[in-house]
Amino acid sequence: MIYTVTLNPSMDLLVEIDGIEPNITNRMNNDLRVPGGKSINVARVLRRLGMPSVATGFIGGYTGEFVKDWLKMEDINTSFIEIDDETRINIKLLNQNIVINGRGPNVSINEETEFLYFMSRIQEGDTVIMMGTMPPSLDDDLQDRIISICKANKAEFIVDAEPKQLKEFIKRGPLLIKPNLSDVEKMFNVKLDTRELIVEYGFKLLELGAKHAIISVGEKGAYLFSGGHAFKGEGVKGKEVRSEGVRDAMIAGFIATYIRTSNLEESFKVAMASATATAFSKDLAKRHQIEDVLDKIIVQKLI
Amino acid sequence: MIYTVTLNPSMDLLVEIDGIEPNITNRMNNDLRVPGGKSINVARVLRRLGMPSVATGFIGGYTGEFVKDWLKMEDINTSFIEIDDETRINIKLLNQNIVINGRGPNVSINEETEFLYFMSRIQEGDTVIMMGTMPPSLDDDLQDRIISICKANKAEFIVDAEPKQLKEFIKRGPLLIKPNLSDVEKMFNVKLDTRELIVEYGFKLLELGAKHAIISVGEKGAYLFSGGHAFKGEGVKGKEVRSEGVRDAMIAGFIATYIRTSNLEESFKVAMASATATAFSKDLAKRHQIEDVLDKIIVQKLI
């Protein structure tokens, strides 16, 4: 089973508004509420690609109910730890490019322990996808401890983190990492301005410990590194509507296909199609949107 | 029974944040969720003053559950019409003085009819307090129709509206209106810069049809007009923390006392104490805060 771990999920409040000014009552033109959290995005795209997962993490309050019910409505299994405090609200003022994220709830030591107990039951063959930020009340090392549980139980894990922390996590052998080019540059304190350099550092990620590594280079596409192989996927031209969730969709596309087929090239193609279709869409890409893009994805084996 | 009618309640999201900038992820320092809506404020202050009411209006979704549960927790009777759409979220960025209000849910014709049926059961001796905005999907004349129901059933009603609309409502004989000085100036297109003029126009409000009228003049206090009498209440000096809900607290203070005692001067004093204590407080004033201020309120009978 795939476990999508969202330690700090959210209800995202998407607000359409012409402008905001102090000292008056600004009125929304429209608003939409959707569940947020990187691993929740992964779970949703996995489901659209026909791959079940169990969404877990900490959830609480009316906003938590909202997130859980939404996932259930999309036929995604949930096994969140119910907490006393409330799942955060993230505010996105569309058109204004203003994002105001909540801090996240207070998670008690008992709630944390309950979660670790739940995670301890994962087993060989399972994959844990753990992405996004943590509620501020939790110890920084919680992600580390979850990785330790994965390793002890011989489960695969996928992590996403800031460059510095990601470098540490890679050493512990994740199934997949998916940094941007600038993340890799920060990790190694280098400038990667040629394809040769990108390929060189892609293989360094594998040497460090990652089983698969995808480096995205924005609209120019992405690279996949695995074993002795490197692939380049070309970007698809189109109107980019959103950047949020694109990374998450790419991971979902890769994992959904790789678990089913073990075919690297095909998995990379679906990863790129999922990311591209999401970038072109208002919401996370739906299956037919991914399939529409798939034919346009050109993947070239470099090595 | 008192019915507090909130046609467009809200979950207010109070956000403490140092500043907001586009194109980055701004993070809240803290956030708090409270129920909003003018008549809901009235219901809460009434309750704190020991006066029961039934909170009604349209409510839906997770945000609606939040509002209902909060009111129940404060021991306030609720009899909202459950709607399919979701109760709005209003965003208040504290310190930034930025208010972003939601539009409000879609209310279907069936839901509206159910509400009118509920209202039709009010009777002589009941008081309907109906304040605040309407969800945009509702007809402008809904408030009018509710007033007609009150009149047909010989129930008292209290309304709050923009000056132009308020002038129309007054003609129908509300128990109490509570405009600011500037509202009265707008209603009659005059400048009221002397006490004599304020008193003159206060009595005009009664002539138009209001049974009681309170005109607030900001930190200078307020005037009460009733029958042939006019009272002036002096403002109390203190640190004003909030302006929201002050008007609502004043109405609650007046009504809670007037229904119990019919004593004009005492009701006006509690009205002013409730408003003042709310202005000095982070939340709506609690009973002990109102009682603390009460002794400082000086009310003078002018006529």
Side-chain angles (χ1 to χ4, degrees), chain A residues 242-273:
Chain A
R242 74 197 322 255
S243 61
E244 222 175 311
V246 172
R247 213 164 158 145
D248 315 331
M250 188 174 262
I251 289 175
F254 184 86
I255 290 301
T257 319
Y258 190 74
I259 286 186
R260 212 156 20 204
T261 69
S262 297
N263 181 323
L264 273 182
E265 196 168 330
E266 186 59 22
S267 303
F268 188 37
K269 275 181 83 166
V270 177
M272 290 209 53

Side-chain angles (χ1 to χ4, degrees), chain B residues 170-187:
Chain B
I170 291 175
K171 294 175 185 164
R172 309 193 65 190
L175 178 63
L176 171 69
I177 56 159
K178 207 222 73 44
N180 293 331
L181 188 60
S182 65
D183 295 333
V184 183
E185 290 179 336
K186 275 180 207 150
M187 280 166 70

Side-chain angles (χ1 to χ4, degrees), chain B residues 205-220:
Chain B
L205 295 173
L206 303 188
E207 282 162 30
L208 271 179
K211 294 182 182 164
H212 306 282
I214 296 176
I215 301 177
S216 55
V217 289
E219 57 188 16
K220 288 187 187 154

